[in-house]
Amino acid sequence: SYWLINSTISKNSSILGNILTHTDTSSHPHISNTIIYNNTGNNISETFGATSIVNISIIMGGFSGNANLNINPLFKDANSNDFTLQVTSPAINSGNNIAYENAGFIAEADKDLYGNTRLFDSIIDIGAYEYYEKIYPIRYVKVGGTGNGISWDSASNNLQAMINAKKVEEVWVAAGTYNSPTNGFNLKNNVAIYGGFPSTNNPEFSDRNNIQNLTILSGGNTRRIFNNDFINDIYIDNSAILDGFTLKDGSAIDGGAMKLVNASPTLSNLIFLSNTSIGSSNGGAIYCIASSPKIEKCKFISNTSGMYGGAIINLSNSTPIILNSLFTQNSANKGGAIFAAQNSSYSLVNSTLYENTAQSGGAAYHIGSGTIPNIFNNIIYGNSSSIVNTDSSSARMEQNLIQGITN
């Protein structure tokens, strides 16, 4: 009863018609994390009471067991006997570390058949070869780019693919307009996305200027721009950074430009322009549920909500921090600039709210006893009405230049 772990068996044949033959009731081979594909004959033959224990493997034709796959493993070039994996191989990150270690090996310390680290990511691959690629911590995006994004000269046009690239730390985006995908872009923890780079030559980080080099992410008035709706155990934290973009013409139910559910990214140097939450929905620019983004040096201009929060709505214990930002010409039914409810006590510091409009609370509307925003050092002036605190809500307010308060 042998152990066959993280091996690849392909292009073999047998005059008896079987690639692996197990016979006798005392025969109980253990096969895990292994590819058995494109052989001539039966892949696994069991006779005279033999039982094969096969798990977490890719077996052509299939085989009973736990998490076995009957699928093409996508070798790079099997015709030339190159059985390493393509980037899209289903074998990547599909193995089981415990199965490898139960056979007496140490995944973190071992090498694969090619001599690469056996554990490139946190989950071992299926087969003899671990998929391995050179690490590029910075990826580059440019309008019209057709490359793999590892330099400005080979820039990609696919922003989300660069955000999702393995081991990426930063994504640099050149000036131009990029349309959001159907379901919106997604932010990613430990990845900083920077716009404002010139679209010519090979700019350095010091060449960024998001005013001169407008980098626009557009919803085309038909879809949301960012959809960070993490309702399960995934949580986006402030290591996910978006900096130096104009988010324009987003349109969706709840959060025209950005929806944050259990997501608290860092949003800096952004312009939210002409975004809309359609129908009787909320948050013309940003919709927050159980989210506490840090928003600094941002402009919210001409965003519209059919109901609450022309620029931002905060619900379900959302506590964003808003610093050094401008809200102007935003509109809603309640809370022309900001709406907060359900124990959502945001902080608004050193910001300006000017010429925002609503039927009630042109500047801001707060509802509920647990909603107690911190409003310090702001100019709140020229709005259709000021701040409305209702249903036992209140606000801590200090050192503001404010025109009128309605309680």
Side-chain angles (χ1 to χ4, degrees), residues 7 10 14 28-29 38 55 60 72 79 103 123 130 186 208 227 231 244 255 302 327 334 338 351 362 394 402:
S7 297
S10 185
S14 168
H28 304 293
N38 200 27
N55 296 312
M60 188 172 182
N72 188 336
N79 291 332
I123 301 174
E130 192 80 3
N186 296 127
R208 285 182 71 223
N227 186 26
I231 60 175
S302 299
F327 295 77
K334 294 182 179 179
I338 302 171
S351 296
S394 60
I402 184 166

Side-chain angles (χ1 to χ4, degrees), residues 148-204:
N148 57 10
I150 64 173
S151 69
W152 283 122
D153 290 336
S154 61
S156 171
N157 188 43
N158 191 329
L159 174 57
Q160 190 62 59
M162 296 301 97
I163 295 170
N164 294 340
K166 193 172 294 185
K167 307 290 186 180
V168 67
E169 297 174 8
E170 296 181 1
V171 179
W172 294 10
V173 186
T177 298
Y178 304 84
N179 295 318
S180 64
T182 300
N183 294 320
F185 296 114
N186 296 127
L187 298 171
K188 182 179 173 184
N189 283 342
N190 301 305
V191 176
I193 309 163
Y194 294 110
F197 289 91
S199 59
T200 57
N201 301 319
N202 296 291
E204 299 293 333

Side-chain angles (χ1 to χ4, degrees), residues 4-70:
L4 184 66
I5 310 294
N6 278 96
S7 297
T8 297
I9 300 173
S10 185
K11 295 176 65 177
N12 298 282
S13 62
S14 168
I15 59 174
L16 298 178
N18 302 315
I19 304 306
L20 299 178
T21 299
H22 305 147
T23 184
D24 196 293
T25 56
S26 62
S27 179
H28 304 293
H30 289 72
I31 301 173
S32 297
N33 296 349
T34 290
I35 298 173
I36 305 175
Y37 193 83
N38 200 27
N39 299 286
T40 300
N42 296 324
N43 284 313
I44 302 174
S45 173
E46 298 173 311
T47 60
F48 299 106
T51 303
S52 306
I53 302 170
V54 183
N55 296 312
I56 317 144
S57 295
I58 295 177
I59 313 291
M60 188 172 182
F63 199 85
S64 61
N66 177 41
N68 293 318
L69 300 173
N70 177 18

Side-chain angles (χ1 to χ4, degrees), residues 189-401:
N189 283 342
N190 301 305
V191 176
I193 309 163
Y194 294 110
F197 289 91
S199 59
T200 57
N201 301 319
N202 296 291
E204 299 293 333
F205 194 82
S206 59
D207 297 319
R208 285 182 71 223
N209 187 314
N210 63 302
I211 303 302
Q212 293 180 1
N213 306 308
L214 279 179
T215 311
I216 298 171
L217 306 178
S218 174
N221 291 311
T222 60
R223 58 196 175 275
R224 184 179 290 117
I225 301 170
F226 277 91
N227 186 26
N228 303 284
D229 189 348
F230 300 99
I231 60 175
N232 297 315
D233 294 332
I234 301 171
Y235 184 84
I236 289 294
D237 60 33
N238 61 13
S239 69
I241 298 172
L242 186 69
D243 187 317
F245 293 89
T246 296
L247 280 66
K248 180 181 178 183
D249 296 333
S251 179
I253 296 174
D254 294 333
M258 181 176 290
K259 187 174 185 179
L260 301 176
V261 180
N262 291 326
S264 300
T266 300
L267 308 175
S268 301
N269 299 302
L270 304 176
I271 300 172
F272 291 85
L273 177 63
S274 299
N275 301 287
T276 304
S277 61
I278 60 178
S280 298
S281 66
N282 307 299
I286 301 178
Y287 180 88
C288 292
I289 287 187
S291 299
S292 301
K294 182 179 181 181
I295 301 169
E296 57 181 344
K297 292 182 284 186
C298 292
K299 297 178 180 179
F300 294 83
I301 305 171
S302 299
N303 302 286
T304 303
S305 169
M307 286 297 290
Y308 306 145
I312 302 175
I313 187 169
N314 304 299
L315 301 172
S316 301
N317 299 292
S318 293
T319 56
I321 298 173
I322 305 168
L323 303 172
N324 302 316
S325 293
L326 170 68
F327 295 77
T328 186
Q329 298 176 14
N330 303 288
S331 62
N333 180 276
K334 294 182 179 179
I338 302 171
F339 183 96
Q342 301 170 352
N343 303 310
S344 296
S345 298
Y346 65 92
S347 295
L348 180 70
V349 182
N350 283 100
S351 296
T352 298
L353 280 65
Y354 179 70
E355 288 190 346
N356 301 285
T357 59
Q359 291 184 22
S360 183
Y365 191 99
H366 309 141
I367 185 170
S369 59
T371 300
I372 310 173
N374 301 295
I375 301 175
F376 306 140
N377 304 337
N378 302 287
I379 297 174
I380 302 174
Y381 198 87
N383 303 286
S384 64
S385 57
S386 190
I387 297 173
V388 171
N389 298 310
T390 187
D391 192 23
S392 301
S393 65
S394 60
R396 300 183 185 96
M397 304 181 67
E398 296 180 12
Q399 302 299 118
N400 300 290
L401 194 165

